[in-house]
């Protein structure tokens, strides 16, 4: 099956594209995009992979679902397009960066600037129907993105995995903690953050300290 994804990832993931689950997933997604309004736009479904090439990936941040509001999702977890109001979780991410690193809240919530430095902003489910959160869950995307995590863990070293919230923390079992750094905390959503499970995790400085300790360039958050 010819999947339009960056060649560095296609080389790693080609076997997945031939499996029955992925072919069924492709049929489902094509039908959904034909019959309903879905996000992100079709050309951006694999945007996370296009911005963070396999060999350049140094950090993985795992989200759950794309934003389902008009004009928000751009294929990168937690990211929104330029000019779009920051969702609550993204506001709390920027506040933690400000507290952790002293960097002011940026003017845009478009996180392509992170992805281009090797931060894989990976949602567990890569598509969603407009205004219907979770509408494309349990259709095969999770099988695919779990495999992405496993391949990164197996074939790379010294990657920082940021797992925020109960759903993401479950993915730790897919990662070899002996050769990667796994950082966990509560989710940046207000429900979790306001209960003290997010702020103060210092994940951004911890990630950079780890990368520098391995001789890698830190991320300009």
């Amino acid at each position: 099956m010819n999947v339009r994804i960056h060649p560095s990832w296609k080389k790693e993931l080609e076997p997945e594209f031939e499996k029955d689950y992925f072919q069924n997933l492709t049929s489902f997604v094509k039908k959904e995009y034909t019959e309903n309004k879905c996000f992100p736009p079709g050309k951006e479904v694999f945007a996370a992979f296009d911005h963070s090439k396999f060999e350049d990936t140094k950090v993985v941040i795992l989200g759950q679902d794309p934003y389902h509001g008009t004009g928000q999702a751009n294929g990168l977890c937690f990211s929104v397009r330029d000019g779009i109001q920051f969702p609550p979780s993204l506001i709390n991410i920027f506040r933690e960066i400000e507290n952790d690193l002293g960097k002011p809240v940026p003017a845009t919530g478009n996180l392509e600037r992170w992805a281009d430095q090797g931060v894989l902003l990976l949602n567990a489910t890569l598509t969603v129907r407009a205004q219907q959160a979770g509408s494309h869950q349990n259709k095969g995307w999770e099988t695919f993105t779990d495999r992405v995590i496993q391949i990164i863990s197996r074939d790379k070293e010294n990657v920082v995995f940021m797992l925020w919230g109960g759903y993401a923390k479950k993915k730790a079992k897919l990662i070899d903690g002996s050769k990667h750094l796994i950082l966990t905390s509560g989710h940046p959503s207000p429900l979790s953050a306001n209960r003290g499970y997010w702020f103060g995790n210092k994940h951004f400085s911890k990630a950079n300290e780890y990368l520098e300790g391995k001789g890698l360039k830190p991320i300009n958050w």
Side-chain angles (χ1 to χ4, degrees):
M1 181 180 293
N2 185 28
V3 177
R4 295 172 66 181
I5 193 170
H6 191 276
S8 68
W9 287 101
K10 192 162 191 172
K11 177 183 172 185
E12 300 292 329
L13 297 169
E14 191 84 63
E16 297 303 301
F17 302 147
E18 304 304 323
K19 293 180 179 177
D20 287 345
Y21 87 86
F22 196 88
Q23 299 195 27
N24 293 335
L25 169 64
T26 300
S27 297
F28 166 78
V29 170
K30 284 181 177 177
K31 187 170 187 289
E32 281 287 288
Y33 272 73
T34 300
E35 298 179 356
N36 303 283
K37 190 171 183 60
C38 297
F39 301 120
K43 65 181 181 180
E44 295 179 348
V45 169
F46 293 108
F49 302 91
D50 293 334
H51 284 277
S52 181
K53 303 175 186 66
F54 179 78
E55 60 269 19
D56 296 336
T57 296
K58 297 186 287 189
V59 178
V60 178
I61 298 178
L62 188 68
Q64 190 164 358
D65 229 20
Y67 296 123
H68 54 81
T70 299
Q72 290 182 302
N74 67 349
L76 310 176
C77 73
F78 296 106
S79 174
V80 291
R81 298 181 183 284
D82 293 322
I84 297 294
Q85 185 176 355
F86 299 171
S89 292
L90 187 56
I91 290 172
N92 287 336
I93 289 171
F94 288 148
R95 285 178 177 166
E96 176 58 24
I97 291 172
E98 185 175 32
N99 294 336
D100 186 13
L101 299 173
K103 296 177 70 72
V105 174
T108 176
N110 189 334
L111 302 182
E112 289 178 357
R113 61 188 183 278
W114 293 2
D116 290 337
Q117 298 175 73
V119 181
L120 181 66
L121 295 163
L122 181 67
N123 276 314
T125 303
L126 298 187
T127 57
V128 69
R129 193 184 295 182
Q131 312 305 328
Q132 295 185 40
S135 50
H136 288 185
Q137 291 178 3
N138 302 314
K139 302 296 183 181
W141 276 130
E142 296 90 341
T143 302
F144 173 70
T145 52
D146 278 1
R147 189 65 186 138
V148 171
I149 294 168
Q150 289 174 316
I151 288 171
I152 294 171
S153 175
R154 182 194 69 196
D155 294 347
K156 293 183 66 67
E157 294 182 351
N158 307 326
V159 175
V160 181
F161 290 85
M162 296 185 180
L163 308 180
W164 301 337
Y167 180 85
K169 288 177 185 177
K170 292 176 183 176
K171 306 298 182 180
K173 67 180 182 290
L174 306 174
I175 303 162
D176 183 350
S178 70
K179 61 174 183 171
H180 303 288
L181 177 64
I182 303 172
L183 299 175
T184 63
S185 78
H187 196 275
S189 67
L191 185 64
S192 171
N194 293 340
R195 290 178 176 175
Y197 300 131
W198 165 255
F199 291 114
N201 65 35
K202 297 189 180 298
H203 279 191
F204 304 96
S205 61
K206 289 176 180 177
N208 280 352
E209 287 167 9
Y210 177 83
L211 293 172
E212 288 184 290
K214 300 298 182 180
L216 300 170
K217 186 177 180 180
I219 305 299
N220 180 11
W221 301 106

